[in-house]
Amino acid sequence: MTPEPMTPEPVVGFIGLGQMGQPMAARLAQWPGGLIVYDARPEAMAPLAEAGARVAGSVAELATEVAGEVAGETATAAGLISVMVRDDDQVREVAREVAGAVAAAASDSAPDTGRAGVILAIHSTIGPGTAADLAAELEPAGVEVVDAPVSGGFMGAHDGRLAVMVGGSRDAYERCREPFGRFADLVMHMGPAGAGTRAKLARNLLHFASFTAAAEAQRLAEAAGIDLRKLGRIVRHSDQVTGGAGSIILRRTTAPLDPDDPLREILEHTRALGEKDLSLALDLGAQLGVDLPMGAFALGHFGTGLGLPPREAPRREAPREDTT
């Protein structure tokens, strides 16, 4: 029995070789289908060229090369172009230049054979509607847009341990999974175009809001005479063990818990501990003259945030009339 021929891997292009893009692209340098890179700064491309990547002279040149290889006789999979630039304006500029080059390459090639075209993966953190708008705009040019923002920072990119949140069709997600797996060890399909970005914005809300909570905790600790660097080590160690704030994201909904929900007893226990410790921290702040607005807000909303009913306000007796 003759084995089926192996499907060749698609070529990957990478645009934007900054602090995040450089290590992400470096993880793709030995991609079997080949890597083509472009950045406005030639010096940013040099290390990738030394590692085996081809260097393009422009966004259009990179897109033309990727589209040309996809149009080849042996191409059976979509080419992939990853983009990691600064903001929405740069993303739109790059995306439209890619679309123009892909459309031009398609018009110069043989008639449509039903092969997949080019997938444009946007790794930048952008506005919640940008990816969906670009997906609709670029589809006629043969470009399928997925938003694929990443989480994990420079070190995660360097070590191949990023998390990627993919918004787009299921087929595009499946085609991107293997190349994304070179720089990420968690690649998740979040929904249609735009869903990856919405997930990233929610994730970063938690991330950066926690910085403000950390600043408040540092003010309390400093006023209490605690070495902040030692406290930082404790926090990082325990968060690595417990999962930090993300460990509470367990449910499919934020709606109130049903009385018979199996998580209810666990979260009731969590509320009891959390409210006790928050109250003690607020008492310490009051003693030391440290204002703790985030702590006070957290105490007031802790239980309902877990899906538990609000506690009844403590009943206060009316003052008795002095009859003496």
Side-chain angles (χ1 to χ4, degrees):
M1 184 175 181
T2 305
E4 292 185 8
M6 293 182 64
T7 301
E9 298 288 357
V11 64
V12 173
F14 207 107
I15 300 168
L17 303 172
Q19 184 181 36
M20 289 294 292
Q22 177 75 238
M24 289 168 67
R27 302 284 304 187
L28 286 160
Q30 301 304 315
W31 175 248
L35 175 68
I36 311 170
V37 297
Y38 173 72
D39 192 278
R41 300 161 301 134
E43 65 273 16
M45 296 186 283
L48 277 302
E50 292 175 6
R54 285 179 278 165
V55 171
S58 67
V59 169
E61 181 182 323
L62 182 149
T64 299
E65 286 201 41
V66 172
E69 294 202 18
V70 170
E73 289 299 323
T74 61
T76 57
L80 171 65
I81 298 176
S82 282
V83 178
M84 179 58 97
V85 293
R86 188 179 61 233
D87 54 25
D88 289 59
D89 288 341
Q90 286 192 354
V91 165
R92 290 189 187 97
E93 181 181 352
V94 167
R96 287 164 182 159
E97 195 168 349
V98 166
V102 170
S107 66
D108 292 341
S109 66
D112 182 28
T113 60
R115 296 189 183 100
V118 171
I119 296 172
L120 183 70
I122 302 168
H123 300 298
S124 313
T125 302
I126 53 177
T130 301
D133 290 346
L134 285 173
E137 180 183 336
L138 272 56
E139 183 181 11
V143 176
E144 183 169 5
V145 172
V146 301
D147 53 318
V150 299
S151 183
F154 169 82
M155 290 307 298
H158 184 271
D159 295 339
R161 300 212 56 204
L162 292 174
V164 187
M165 296 149 274
V166 182
S169 70
R170 186 78 194 188
D171 180 65
Y173 161 73
E174 294 294 346
R175 292 176 183 272
C176 292
R177 264 203 316 176
E178 192 171 350
F180 287 177
R182 293 296 179 104
F183 51 74
D185 58 1
L186 179 62
V187 182
M188 298 199 73
H189 186 224
M190 307 306 293
T197 296
R198 294 192 293 273
K200 175 66 182 289
L201 295 177
R203 192 271 170 272
N204 276 9
L205 171 64
L206 173 61
H207 183 66
F208 290 116
S210 70
F211 282 17
T212 304
E216 186 166 291
Q218 287 180 85
R219 290 196 299 273
L220 178 64
E222 187 173 42
I226 301 302
D227 185 316
L228 296 184
R229 288 171 298 183
K230 289 182 178 179
L231 177 64
R233 288 185 63 186
I234 293 293
V235 171
R236 289 187 292 274
H237 175 85
S238 55
D239 279 358
Q240 188 174 24
V241 174
T242 66
S247 63
I248 204 64
I249 305 176
L250 300 169
R251 304 167 59 215
R252 292 182 177 273
T253 177
T254 59
L257 282 162
D258 292 332
D260 58 350
D261 192 298
L263 284 174
R264 188 173 182 115
E265 184 177 352
I266 296 170
L267 294 178
E268 287 277 12
H269 179 66
T270 300
R271 174 163 70 176
L273 289 177
E275 290 179 344
K276 174 182 71 71
D277 288 0
L278 285 167
S279 296
L280 291 171
L282 290 169
D283 288 346
L284 178 60
Q287 294 169 25
L288 298 173
V290 179
D291 188 29
L292 303 173
M294 289 199 73
F297 184 88
L299 178 59
H301 296 81
F302 192 72
T304 53
L306 296 175
L308 299 169
R311 292 197 187 278
E312 293 183 8
R315 186 177 298 172
R316 300 182 63 182
E317 293 185 4
R320 296 180 180 179
E321 184 180 348
D322 188 352
T323 58
T324 60

